[in-house]
Amino acid sequence: MIKEIIYLPRFDKQYKKLTTEIQEKTEAKEEIFRKNPFEPSLRTHKLSGPLKDFWVFSINHTHRIIFKFVDRHKVWFYSIGNHDIYE
């Protein structure tokens, strides 16, 4: 169970640019994530290459959240958006 999520400035800026529909889906997925970050519907997986210290989970078919585990109960939400966030 995730007890604390820290929203980094980059994440906040990207989140504010999303449509209301995507923001609502994000909030619903975050609730699932808080209970179980590895819930199969999130499709959580570790990244590789330059982002090898990060993980990602899916909001929908096009939008993702890149995050990092700080410890067992705390994460940083680093970035949100479509596949451009990997660049």
Side-chain angles (χ1 to χ4, degrees), residues 18-34:
L18 298 173
T19 65
T20 302
E21 179 185 352
I22 299 298
Q23 287 180 353
E24 288 171 359
K25 285 183 181 180
T26 299
E27 291 168 18
K29 291 289 185 161
E30 183 182 315
E31 283 186 41
I32 295 168
F33 178 84
R34 284 180 180 272

Side-chain angles (χ1 to χ4, degrees), residues 28-84:
K29 291 289 185 161
E30 183 182 315
E31 283 186 41
I32 295 168
F33 178 84
R34 284 180 180 272
K35 293 175 186 168
N36 177 6
F38 296 100
E39 158 65 40
S41 67
L42 297 173
R43 300 193 310 258
T44 304
H45 61 277
K46 190 149 177 51
L47 296 174
S48 59
L51 296 172
K52 68 181 190 283
D53 294 331
F54 293 89
W55 294 73
V56 67
F57 73 88
S58 297
I59 301 302
N60 59 19
H61 292 315
T62 57
H63 289 79
R64 318 249 181 292
I65 290 179
I66 294 177
F67 69 95
K68 185 174 188 175
F69 286 103
V70 177
D71 62 35
R72 191 170 171 205
H73 300 289
K74 182 176 176 180
V75 298
W76 291 341
F77 274 13
Y78 177 74
S79 189
I80 184 170
N82 59 25
H83 279 93
D84 292 344

